[in-house]
Amino acid sequence: MNIIDRRLNPKGKSLANRQRFLRRARQQILKAVREASGERSVTDIANGERISIPMDGLREPTFRRSPQGGVRNHVVPGNKEYVEGDLIPRPSSGQGEGGSQGSPSGEGEDDFRFLLSKDEFLDIFLDDLELPDLIKKKIRQSDSYTLTRAGFSVTGSPANLNLVRTMRNSLTRRIALNRPKPHELAQLEEEIARLEESGADPERLSELRVEFERLIARSKRVPYIDPLDVRYNRFEHVPKPVTQAVMFCLMDVSGSMTEHMKDLAKRFFMLLYLFLTRRYQHVDIVFIRHTHEAKEVDEDTFFYSTETGGTVVSTALTEMKKVINERYPPGDWNIYAAQASDGDNTSSDNAHAAALLENTILPACQYFAYIEVGAEYKDWLGRETDLWRTYKSVTKPGGNLAMRKVRVRSQIFSVFRDLFSKERAGATAGTSP
Amino acid sequence: MTELLFAGADWDFDRLWRTYDAVDLIARKELGLDIYPNQIEVITAEQMLDAYSSIGMPLMYKHWSFGKRFAQDETLYRKGMRGLAYEIVINSSPCISYIMEENSMAMQTLVLAHAAFGHNHFFKNNSLFRQWTDARGILDYLDFAKTYIAQCEERHGHQAVERVLDAAHALMSHGVHRYPRNRGYDLREEQRREKERQAWHEQTYNDLWRTVPKAASTVHGSKELAERKRKLRLPEENILYFLEKNAPKLQPWQREILRIVRNVAQYFYPQKQTKVMNEGCATCVHYHIVNRLHEQGLMNDGALMEILHSHTNVVFQPDFDDPRFGGINPYALGFAMMQDIKRIATEPTEEDRVWFPEIAGNGDPWGTLREAWANYRDESFVLQYLSPALIRKMKLFEVHNDAEAPHMVVTAIHNERGYREVRKMLAKSYDVSQLEPDIQIVDVDLAGDRRLILHHHVANDILLDENDAVLVLRHIANLWGYEVRLIEVDAETDMTLREYEDAVPTVNMG
């Protein structure tokens, strides 16, 4: 008999099976996830999701007998009143039917419910999306370096002394040059002392003294540690890849922005945020709202408090520039920006905003997405807004400014996918050298 | 006064050892059990879920259906809709029993007696297990299977392997040999025979035979058919076996995968046929052992009560009109029958002496049970040992349900006229060959269009579930590489009841 404690063994033994299952059910899960994401509120979109997928393609068919029809005999327990020959009316819906032989696992499996973890959910949710231009162009000039080990060197500061290497070299050299060992010397010394004391055999004594002198001299010539032995750990400066990102959310909060529009904007911001957190270790988020003046605010204020005033877009861009200069040097940060607006702007500001965007903001950004949100039922597709025209003048093919219009909630995801689909990322990568 | 083995709910390895030794003593001395060496493995609830999803085996190849099962189990478990088993035991040598760390010491005692002795004895001694499974080799074989399939995935891609496994799994219940087979052909023997025939032909050659007119073609055709069937050894009910050996387009690795699935199915085949006996045996053993432990003063009242509480839950049999009723509980029936056999062996009534002259009052209850455990399966066990007393006690009755008739009819109850009928019917309901549709490969024209023809011999007018059947046929077609036709014929009259459209291969496996 043997008792083995397996509790510390890795669990997740069936992880590989789960991956196979998810891959198998991919299409159904994808659909379910997309549907689920439309329904749920923005704040908990990143939580795990209980999803329910149809069973087609996941059935495990076998040859089995149909639960209906035919002649069957059942033996069941608990007879209370029946005698031979009694007739029993057939139960209507199979409920309470004695000894029903229908396999319960075969039926009622039309919908299959299970839990997706947060990571799995996001993986599928954001599947085949790619960030455009993932590599920071400025990385070569970037000042951020990290030290990595790069072998050994013969020079260095004492703090970097590699003791093991040094002692190994020392030992090799001492053996090779035949340095007298301390215990040999001690032995010799002891014997000399004994002979001196007893006074016998003076010839041997003088021989030993000569030998002793010789060994002492030798061990002085062959030092215990020689500068030759010393090795230092060598470090190299390696430029640090920029794995942090900051996301700027800019939104017009003037009176013309309705709750509906804000909700659309919020959804887009959330998607972008989720997406960025999948790609970068660290994502900061900055909310800037503006009317005729702009202010950096926290999330709640950003989405839920209203302001009155005119609309001057350039103030938001100026504010963003200020924040970048203060806290997010473009060399260290991947900067993403998303701006949502209903397209209004004071006409006198258009030129200023365009210039600011083109000369200052866009060069610092990885990507700048402009989302024009509209009222649900208003058809404004025919008319281009002030801001749309202004921004359009700044876009150039292969550039990092993207513009889309969104009117209803269901469009958000498709617009988002449209902006970040892999093909598009490939295309921009292709055009930019 | 003997000292208690344990007190309180906590368990540790020391207590497990001591309890094991005490249980071992009773099992061998009093019950005369003969077991494989035991290996007890303590696992966590999550690991138990893992083990569930790979059909209870410690090693298993990877497949999405196991992941699906895991997702299902996990959802139910997390919702609190389903508890986990206290143990899983594996028919292997050494016999591995998984026990959960969450169990109390009393439960661990129960589990040790139940799994490590009850199931273990049954695995080692039951003739079906002895004949069809190789307890010593199974873990090694599964290790091989797992590695082999992983290698195939690397070499041929996940999807290709998945296709074969999907198809094989669909046919798993039709991938077992139900009867010991004829010895296979020996190549050297065949060649020798062929040479002899050739020599005889040469010796007796006469040119005159050439001039004799040939027999009519119809006769010739049916002869050819018979010869073809003989060569392919048709009809064949082991569909997986047939495909593995004869499918024209499969690659060697695909045949090997079919073989692996077939072997796993074969390994589990005895378990399907001995559910009542296996659980009955284990329950009967644990019931005796824990009671003896208590009598000997090795276990206190609290622990016994806890065990009995769990025991009673397990052997609970709701009546047919109870909303909890879900068929006959194999634990309940097995345990009741075995307790009944003990009673017949020790205190028989006059009725028992008439019904069971061989065992009534033989005074050796455990010897009688050991004999039954070794030589029967569920069907034959019920047929042999279900006593009138138990039929009365459980108030079993038989209902005849003809879908055509407006009512169901009670055909036998627990009375003098009904005993044999009830017993016969109950036994039949455990006959695996009655539960699973009888499907056989009857013909294939290898020289012609290579269409594979299957017959389902329909018993009692119960046809196949059509949706599933079509899907399975597609799997067979994919493995076979050509068209496949399924015909459902009445087993008694040979009348065709339903014919399926020819399934054509949808993917090219090769």
Side-chain angles (χ1 to χ4, degrees):
Chain A
M1 206 288 276
N2 233 334
I3 298 182
I4 302 176
D5 190 354
R6 295 261 187 230
R7 284 171 295 177
L8 295 177
N9 279 23
K11 32 195 196 206
K13 237 168 85 181
S14 54
L15 203 63
N17 288 328
R18 184 172 177 88
Q19 284 163 352
R20 280 168 177 70
F21 168 63
L22 291 181
R23 193 170 55 216
R24 170 87 179 200
R26 188 172 183 79
Q27 286 315 314
Q28 289 99 313
I29 296 177
L30 209 58
K31 196 160 158 267
V33 162
R34 298 269 153 81
E35 276 166 12
S37 61
E39 289 159 16
R40 69 207 319 215
S41 79
V42 181
T43 37
D44 64 5
I45 201 156
N47 292 335
E49 169 80 335
R50 167 170 297 125
I51 64 163
S52 140
I53 55 174
M55 281 306 288
D56 4 314
L58 294 176
R59 297 245 321 253
E60 295 166 86
T62 50
F63 280 134
R64 57 190 179 86
R65 294 184 162 178
S66 154
Q68 277 104 38
V71 181
R72 291 155 211 262
N73 288 303
H74 310 293
V75 174
V76 288
N79 183 14
K80 293 177 187 68
E81 53 193 11
Y82 298 127
V83 292
E84 239 176 284
D86 276 359
L87 297 179
I88 308 175
R90 206 184 302 282
S92 50
S93 61
Q95 183 235 338
E97 184 195 2
S100 151
Q101 305 239 336
S103 124
S105 63
E107 299 289 311
E109 268 192 329
D110 297 339
D111 250 11
F112 178 67
R113 297 182 77 83
F114 68 104
L115 272 171
L116 281 179
S117 75
K118 182 183 163 183
D119 281 348
E120 286 166 341
F121 182 85
L122 286 180
D123 263 346
I124 295 167
F125 186 65
L126 300 173
D127 173 58
D128 62 88
L129 296 184
E130 195 59 76
L131 275 180
D133 223 352
L134 205 62
I135 298 157
K136 189 78 182 164
K137 283 186 199 121
K138 284 184 182 162
I139 195 163
R140 271 158 256 126
Q141 314 145 17
S142 145
D143 296 332
S144 56
Y145 287 102
T146 159
L147 288 175
T148 45
R149 294 275 299 257
F152 306 99
S153 76
V154 290
T155 57
S157 82
N160 291 339
L161 183 73
N162 186 313
L163 209 58
V164 174
R165 249 332 138 104
T166 306
M167 290 315 289
R168 193 200 287 171
N169 287 343
S170 150
L171 183 65
T172 327
R173 189 181 43 79
R174 276 182 276 133
I175 292 171
L177 296 180
N178 207 3
R179 186 181 198 262
K181 299 191 172 72
H183 71 93
E184 288 172 1
L185 287 176
Q187 222 176 345
L188 210 55
E189 206 170 4
E190 199 177 289
E191 199 174 349
I192 292 170
R194 211 180 57 231
L195 284 177
E196 273 176 345
E197 205 168 292
S198 65
D201 204 351
E203 215 167 292
R204 166 105 177 117
L205 179 64
S206 59
E207 244 176 57
L208 285 178
R209 276 190 178 144
V210 172
E211 174 70 7
F212 185 70
E213 290 302 318
R214 196 181 66 78
L215 288 183
I216 289 289
R218 185 165 187 86
S219 50
K220 278 191 180 139
R221 275 204 310 278
V222 183
Y224 188 74
I225 290 185
D226 191 277
L228 273 177
D229 303 334
V230 180
R231 291 291 180 277
Y232 299 93
N233 291 331
R234 204 167 84 85
F235 291 93
E236 259 181 5
H237 288 278
V238 176
K240 183 175 68 181
V242 184
T243 56
Q244 51 191 3
V246 58
M247 174 182 155
F248 285 89
C249 299
L250 313 178
M251 187 165 68
D252 177 5
V253 290
S254 63
S256 58
M257 286 284 283
T258 61
E259 279 308 310
H260 169 70
M261 291 170 173
K262 280 193 193 171
D263 182 58
L264 291 180
K266 180 177 179 184
R267 274 167 197 276
F268 186 81
F269 293 148
M270 285 308 299
L271 283 178
L272 185 59
Y273 178 68
L274 272 183
F275 192 37
L276 290 179
T277 50
R278 301 287 293 163
R279 305 286 159 167
Y280 294 101
Q281 291 165 1
H282 180 80
V283 180
D284 271 9
I285 185 160
V286 176
F287 295 100
I288 297 172
R289 60 172 195 168
H290 72 91
T291 52
H292 61 279
E293 54 189 10
K295 218 182 347 172
E296 187 188 344
V297 293
D298 60 48
E299 184 176 348
D300 271 354
T301 325
F302 184 72
F303 287 117
Y304 300 114
S305 85
T306 46
E307 282 284 282
T308 49
T311 313
V312 183
V313 172
S314 64
T315 55
L317 297 176
T318 314
E319 177 75 13
M320 178 175 165
K321 185 178 137 196
K322 198 183 99 200
V323 175
I324 290 177
N325 288 340
E326 277 171 8
R327 309 208 302 263
Y328 302 104
D332 284 349
W333 293 83
N334 290 292
I335 298 172
Y336 291 85
Q339 182 180 12
S341 160
D342 57 356
D344 286 350
N345 197 15
T346 312
S347 356
S348 60
D349 181 53
N350 286 342
H352 183 41
L356 203 55
L357 190 66
E358 188 164 17
N359 300 329
T360 319
I361 303 293
L362 288 184
C365 283
Q366 295 287 95
Y367 198 70
F368 190 104
Y370 171 63
I371 296 299
E372 191 158 296
V373 289
E376 203 164 347
Y377 303 108
K378 196 169 108 191
D379 179 35
W380 40 249
L381 286 172
R383 188 180 67 88
E384 284 186 346
T385 59
D386 278 358
L387 202 56
W388 185 267
R389 272 201 305 277
T390 309
Y391 277 20
K392 209 170 159 191
S393 68
V394 180
T395 53
K396 43 181 178 259
N400 54 356
L401 172 64
M403 303 163 62
R404 290 290 184 281
K405 292 179 181 174
V406 178
R407 213 153 32 117
V408 285
R409 223 185 240 188
S410 58
Q411 286 176 329
I412 289 278
F413 195 71
S414 50
V415 163
F416 186 77
R417 287 185 62 75
D418 183 32
L419 286 178
F420 292 102
S421 65
K422 269 187 182 140
E423 300 83 65
R424 194 192 169 280
T428 50
T431 50
S432 63
Chain B
M1 185 64 199
T2 40
E3 210 179 312
L4 287 176
L5 287 169
F6 57 89
D10 295 339
W11 65 269
D12 56 34
F13 289 96
D14 194 39
R15 286 179 199 161
L16 274 186
W17 273 105
R18 262 185 292 149
T19 308
Y20 180 89
D21 290 340
V23 172
D24 188 54
L25 198 68
I26 300 172
R28 286 179 203 274
K29 283 268 165 59
E30 298 183 16
L31 309 186
L33 299 189
D34 167 30
I35 57 172
Y36 290 125
N38 268 309
Q39 179 165 319
I40 316 286
E41 305 197 354
V42 184
I43 58 173
T44 61
E46 299 216 12
Q47 288 167 328
M48 186 59 109
L49 270 173
D50 276 345
Y52 260 34
S53 59
S54 51
I55 39 181
M57 301 307 287
L59 296 163
M60 203 60 200
Y61 54 84
K62 308 263 179 267
H63 187 250
W64 64 267
S65 64
F66 303 139
K68 171 182 154 191
R69 210 147 304 143
F70 184 84
Q72 261 168 339
D73 289 337
E74 195 192 20
T75 312
L76 288 176
Y77 176 63
R78 296 231 185 280
K79 273 194 220 154
M81 277 162 64
R82 186 191 288 170
L84 291 175
Y86 298 113
E87 41 80 24
I88 285 184
V89 55
I90 291 159
N91 168 26
S92 64
S93 175
C95 176
I96 301 177
S97 315
Y98 290 124
I99 60 181
M100 272 212 291
E101 67 167 343
E102 281 88 344
N103 296 350
S104 68
M105 187 58 217
M107 285 311 297
Q108 304 292 34
T109 312
L110 173 68
V111 165
L112 282 180
H114 183 89
F117 290 90
H119 284 306
N120 190 344
H121 172 84
F122 195 81
F123 288 147
K124 188 171 177 191
N125 293 280
N126 184 266
S127 59
L128 253 70
F129 285 90
R130 293 171 76 99
Q131 187 177 359
W132 290 112
T133 68
D134 172 15
R136 255 168 260 283
I138 184 65
L139 291 182
D140 285 343
Y141 185 75
L142 286 177
D143 193 25
F144 156 76
K146 190 180 167 186
T147 326
Y148 186 82
I149 289 182
Q151 280 171 356
C152 283
E153 283 184 339
E154 270 174 32
R155 209 168 292 165
H156 308 285
H158 284 291
Q159 211 184 14
V161 174
E162 196 171 279
R163 266 188 212 133
V164 182
L165 277 178
D166 284 355
H169 281 189
L171 293 167
M172 213 164 176
S173 55
H174 291 85
V176 290
H177 292 305
R178 288 170 217 275
Y179 311 101
R181 299 180 55 77
N182 300 333
R183 207 168 52 81
Y185 290 135
D186 180 332
L187 176 65
R188 207 163 293 160
E189 178 68 18
E190 289 293 299
Q191 283 170 338
R192 193 187 55 75
R193 205 172 46 80
E194 171 57 25
K195 250 182 214 158
E196 253 175 36
R197 181 185 295 192
Q198 190 70 27
W200 181 84
H201 188 68
E202 280 165 13
Q203 276 172 10
T204 57
Y205 178 75
N206 189 336
D207 200 37
L208 273 181
W209 284 113
R210 223 170 24 87
T211 61
V212 178
K214 283 221 163 70
S217 63
T218 49
V219 179
H220 183 74
S222 75
K223 243 190 202 165
E224 197 181 69
L225 181 73
E227 174 66 9
R228 186 161 84 203
K229 285 192 172 185
R230 192 193 64 76
K231 271 192 188 149
L232 287 168
R233 280 190 279 167
L234 292 173
E236 171 65 66
E237 61 172 356
N238 191 337
I239 301 176
L240 273 183
Y241 176 80
F242 181 85
L243 291 173
E244 176 198 330
K245 299 295 177 199
N246 299 311
K249 287 188 174 174
L250 290 185
Q251 305 279 329
W253 64 269
Q254 292 168 323
R255 293 181 204 277
E256 188 64 41
I257 290 182
L258 294 193
R259 185 184 170 78
I260 287 170
V261 174
R262 198 161 65 75
N263 281 338
V264 172
Q266 192 78 58
Y267 170 81
F268 282 110
Y269 188 57
Q271 311 213 351
K272 266 195 212 168
Q273 298 182 66
T274 52
K275 238 177 175 162
V276 170
M277 290 196 72
N278 205 343
E279 294 304 350
C281 167
T283 310
C284 194
V285 165
H286 84 226
Y287 185 72
H288 180 83
I289 289 178
V290 295
N291 276 306
R292 287 291 295 147
L293 285 177
H294 182 248
E295 279 167 31
Q296 291 171 358
L298 294 168
M299 202 163 64
N300 61 23
D301 296 347
L304 184 71
M305 290 310 286
E306 186 185 344
I307 289 172
L308 286 183
H309 175 74
S310 168
H311 170 85
T312 321
N313 280 340
V314 164
V315 299
F316 174 64
Q317 174 64 64
D319 285 347
F320 75 99
D321 50 359
D322 192 305
R324 289 167 293 180
F325 180 76
I328 288 184
N329 176 356
Y331 290 82
L333 181 65
F335 180 65
M337 281 182 68
M338 286 167 196
Q339 291 298 97
D340 197 47
I341 290 172
K342 269 163 68 186
R343 180 190 60 78
I344 293 169
T346 47
E347 304 155 358
T349 59
E350 269 317 301
E351 183 186 49
D352 293 328
R353 286 190 195 280
V354 176
W355 280 67
F356 303 102
E358 317 84 9
I359 61 166
N362 69 3
D364 179 15
W366 292 106
T368 314
L369 278 177
R370 282 200 304 274
E371 156 88 14
W373 291 337
N375 298 322
Y376 291 84
R377 58 182 182 140
D378 285 352
E379 180 213 1
S380 51
F381 179 65
V382 170
L383 201 55
Q384 179 72 27
Y385 289 108
L386 186 66
S387 73
L390 189 61
I391 294 178
R392 283 195 301 273
K393 195 171 150 201
M394 290 182 77
K395 297 203 167 49
L396 293 173
F397 68 111
E398 184 196 337
V399 184
H400 179 79
N401 180 3
D402 186 342
E404 308 280 299
H407 292 283
M408 302 191 291
V409 188
V410 177
T411 38
I413 64 162
H414 53 282
N415 60 16
E416 214 45 67
R417 272 197 315 281
Y419 293 144
R420 279 178 203 281
E421 175 65 20
V422 165
R423 184 162 87 171
K424 197 178 82 191
M425 251 334 139
L426 187 61
K428 221 172 166 185
S429 72
Y430 286 109
D431 186 353
V432 175
S433 65
Q434 292 285 317
L435 295 178
E436 281 171 1
D438 173 14
I439 294 172
Q440 301 183 1
I441 295 174
V442 292
D443 191 24
V444 46
D445 185 359
L446 277 182
D449 62 3
R450 295 190 171 175
R451 181 193 287 132
L452 195 65
I453 298 176
L454 280 76
H455 278 183
H456 170 216
H457 294 275
V458 180
N460 297 329
D461 289 337
I462 304 176
L463 295 172
L464 289 180
D465 184 273
E466 199 171 347
N467 298 334
D468 264 20
V470 170
L471 293 176
V472 180
L473 282 179
R474 195 178 304 150
H475 279 312
I476 301 180
N478 285 338
L479 288 177
W480 179 242
Y482 298 92
E483 289 175 8
V484 175
R485 171 178 296 177
L486 172 65
I487 302 167
E488 301 201 59
V489 296
D490 193 293
E492 279 161 25
T493 60
D494 264 354
M495 255 180 22
T496 302
L497 299 177
R498 181 158 68 182
E499 216 168 304
Y500 286 81
E501 274 180 43
D502 286 5
V504 284
T506 49
V507 285
N508 191 354
M509 287 278 192

